[in-house]
Every structure is written in structure tokens, then in C-alpha cells.
Amino acid sequence: MSLARAESRRLLKRRFTKFLMLGVLLILGAVAAGTYFSNEKVTEAQVTEARAQAQRDYQQSLLSAQQDKEKCLAAQGTPEAVNWGPGCENLYTPSQEDFDYQWYMPESFEFVQEFPDMISVLAVVLAAAAFLIGASFVGAEWNSGAMMNLLLWRPQRLRVLGTKLLVFLGWFTGVTLLLGAVWAGVFRVIAEYRGTTDKLTSGAWQSLGLMGLRGLALVVAAGALGFALASLGRHTGMALGALIAIGAVQIGVYVMAGLSGLKYPEAYLAPLWGVAWLYKEFVLQDYTSCDFNTSSGCEQETFTLTWQVAGVGMTAVVVLIVGIAMWTMRSRDIT
């Protein structure tokens, strides 16, 4: 039997793999069911009523604003003028755009606008599962001594560890692609019966497909990190401990960056890099660059974290940690 086939059987027969994937399916099923039952198909009558309600509220707000302006003008030159500010012309006047009829309509699933968030949910859930399964796949064998026994049969260290990693990533890539296709079909059906598929053009499909591929890359990266960290520590707990430690360090760096007055302290948080990767960009704002107490107002300084920068950063981290895991596998004693 080939090494790759043996590793595939070992991966698929592990109870942890089966139970965790069952949990993933339950979570995804709950998300899909919740989306289905929390949305509804909007009828023409509901659209007409929403437009009418928006117009009524607009007229009522316009009348109220006019009455306030008249009271302000009447109060000029009297002690009551202090209650209306420096000038009546500065009072708020509502516009038609402030009363969008869509705000008066029931929740309805718009596929083009809302399915990207569902892609993110799928990617995050599968990335977490990939990290845990990858860590357990190699960590349990180190802890139980099965790795030492395997190396007696196949003494090529790097080949053994590399085959394990490639088999795991290959299977999880296939699972992700399969679940991604099913996920898109499920929400396409939800949009048909509990929402709308308007603006679902070939360009929209292409954009969603590219986002799905970026989600796949995130899943693969998480799986490789979990595998490499567990291999470095020769225990599943090493990967979990490293994840907790990295999270604690990031929070500490974020707090210290904020206290020291550095711009964009959120840039030190890894989850935001994942958001930028999935959604193509994430705009950070420097809230200290604007004095909100001034009457003139100002625009805050911004920094855009692009998916290219996030991708390069995540790739560098994954390549570094996997490379160290391979190097230690070659150089350390097997005990």
C-alpha cells in the first residue's frame, strides 16, 4: 500500500475527524435554516405599502421640521432663543433620501448582496475545522508514538511528514469545494423562495466565485498552520496553545499601540487581515485625526488594507511556520 493511500485511510477513519465534520455540518445547517426562516419573499403589495409608509413618515417629519423652524423664528429676540442654537437656518430639514422604503419592508434574502457574508461564514467554520483536524492528525501520532513506528517502516522523515500534510490538505480542499458548491446551491434556493436573485449576472457569479477561492485559500492556510504547529510541538495542544498565545500577544500589541498613539492599531489584529483577504479590502480609520467637537467637522485619515497585502502577509507566515516544522523534523531526534 502506498504511503499516500495509507495516510488517507488514517485521516478518514479518525473519530475526531468524523465528529468534527459532523459538527461543521450541523453548524452550517443551522445557519442555512435560520436564514430560511428569518426571511420571506416580498410581494408587490408589501412594496407598495412600504413606499406609502415611507412617504407618510417623510411628510410627517417635514411638517415637524417646518413647525420647529417657525418656533425658532418666533423665539428670536426672546429668552427662548437660547434653546434653538445660533441660527434657525441650521435646523435639520429631512429629505426624501432619509426615508428609504426598503427600511419598511420585511427581511428578504438578496443573494447578490448577502451571499458574500455566507461565503465568509463557510470559510471561517471550515478554517477552524481545518486547523483542529490538521493539528490532531499529526499531533495525536506524535503523542501516541505512532509516528516513530511509521518512521521505522518509512525512514524518510521529510517524505513522511510532507505526504501527511499534502494528503490532509488535498482531502480538505476537496471537502471545501464540495461544501462550497452545495452551500451556493442551498442559498440560491433560499433566495428563490425567501428572497430575490435580482442582479445575479455572470459578473456577479464571477465575483462570488473568486471570493470563494480566497475562502478556500484561507481554509488551506489554517489547516497547514494547525498541522505545522502541532508537528513542531509534537502534540495537538501545541497548536492550540500557540493560537491562544498569539491571540493574547495581538491583543496586548493592539492595546499598547492604542495607548502609545500609533495610527491604525487595528492593523495588528490578524482577523482583520482575514477580512481584508475575503472582502478584497478593509478600511482602517484614525479616530484621533479629527476633533469631533468642532462645528466645521473633518474627515478622518484612512488606510486601506488590500487583499494583496493580506495575502502576501498570510502566505509568508504559513511558509515560515511550515518550513520550520519541516526543518525540525529533519534535524531533531525522534524519541
Side-chain angles (χ1 to χ4, degrees):
M1 181 182 294
S2 69
L3 180 60
R5 185 179 302 175
E7 292 302 327
S8 296
R9 287 171 58 87
R10 187 176 288 111
L11 173 64
L12 298 178
K13 285 184 175 296
R14 299 190 70 245
R15 285 179 293 179
F16 184 79
T17 301
K18 295 177 182 179
F19 289 151
L20 193 56
M21 290 308 299
L22 177 60
V24 167
L25 293 178
L26 291 175
I27 292 173
L28 296 179
V31 171
T35 303
Y36 181 86
F37 290 109
S38 62
N39 289 274
E40 63 179 87
K41 191 81 170 178
V42 177
T43 64
E44 289 296 328
Q46 289 174 311
V47 173
T48 301
E49 175 58 28
R51 291 182 183 276
Q53 184 62 48
Q55 187 63 28
R56 288 195 295 268
D57 287 353
Y58 168 63
Q59 294 298 333
Q60 180 63 37
S61 180
L62 198 63
L63 178 60
S64 178
Q66 182 62 34
Q67 292 173 346
D68 288 341
K69 189 173 183 179
E70 292 175 356
K71 291 178 182 178
C72 176
L73 292 173
Q76 298 303 306
T78 69
E80 296 294 329
V82 69
N83 297 326
W84 296 98
C88 301
E89 66 277 1
N90 295 325
L91 291 177
Y92 166 72
T93 300
S95 64
Q96 187 71 62
E97 290 74 18
D98 296 332
F99 296 85
D100 191 334
Y101 77 93
Q102 294 185 354
W103 301 342
Y104 297 82
M105 293 171 59
E107 290 292 328
S108 183
F109 186 78
E110 298 184 25
F111 189 87
V112 174
Q113 293 185 6
E114 300 184 49
F115 187 62
D117 292 337
M118 296 299 105
I119 295 177
S120 296
V121 170
L122 178 66
V124 169
V125 172
L126 288 178
F131 184 91
L132 294 174
I133 293 175
S136 175
F137 181 43
V138 68
E141 294 201 1
W142 278 116
N143 189 48
S144 66
M147 180 67 78
M148 284 77 82
N149 295 331
L150 177 59
L151 289 174
L152 291 175
W153 173 53
R154 291 280 184 143
Q156 303 98 336
R157 297 185 180 190
L158 294 184
R159 182 181 178 186
V160 168
L161 189 63
T163 301
K164 280 182 175 291
L165 177 59
L166 291 177
V167 166
F168 163 66
L169 294 181
W171 273 104
F172 224 92
T173 297
V175 169
T176 301
L177 291 173
L178 177 61
L179 286 179
V182 174
W183 196 242
V186 167
F187 280 93
R188 181 70 165 78
V189 172
I190 291 176
E192 286 287 349
Y193 291 95
R194 312 291 280 190
T196 178
T197 57
D198 290 346
K199 301 179 182 179
L200 187 56
T201 63
S202 59
W205 275 117
Q206 181 179 6
S207 177
L208 294 172
L210 291 174
M211 185 177 183
L213 290 177
R214 293 195 298 274
L216 171 62
L218 186 66
V219 172
V220 171
L225 279 176
F227 184 96
L229 289 172
S231 182
L232 278 171
R234 299 187 176 182
H235 198 285
T236 304
M238 170 63 180
L240 301 178
L243 185 64
I244 295 173
I246 292 171
V249 169
Q250 283 193 72
I251 293 175
V253 171
Y254 168 73
V255 172
M256 293 303 297
L259 293 176
S260 61
L262 293 178
K263 291 184 177 182
Y264 319 115
E266 299 91 344
Y268 298 97
L269 300 176
L272 293 187
W273 288 64
V275 173
W277 170 251
L278 286 175
Y279 288 93
K280 300 178 69 174
E281 67 177 26
F282 187 87
V283 180
L284 301 170
Q285 294 181 325
D286 180 15
Y287 296 102
T288 64
S289 63
C290 181
D291 182 5
F292 293 99
N293 294 322
T294 61
S295 58
S296 59
C298 66
E299 290 188 8
Q300 302 157 355
E301 295 181 13
T302 62
F303 171 76
T304 301
L305 180 62
T306 64
W307 69 273
Q308 293 94 334
V309 173
V312 170
M314 291 189 298
T315 300
V317 171
V318 172
V319 170
L320 176 63
I321 295 179
V322 172
I324 294 175
M326 290 295 179
W327 180 79
T328 56
M329 180 67 171
R330 180 179 181 181
S331 60
R332 286 174 61 185
D333 290 337
I334 304 299
T335 58

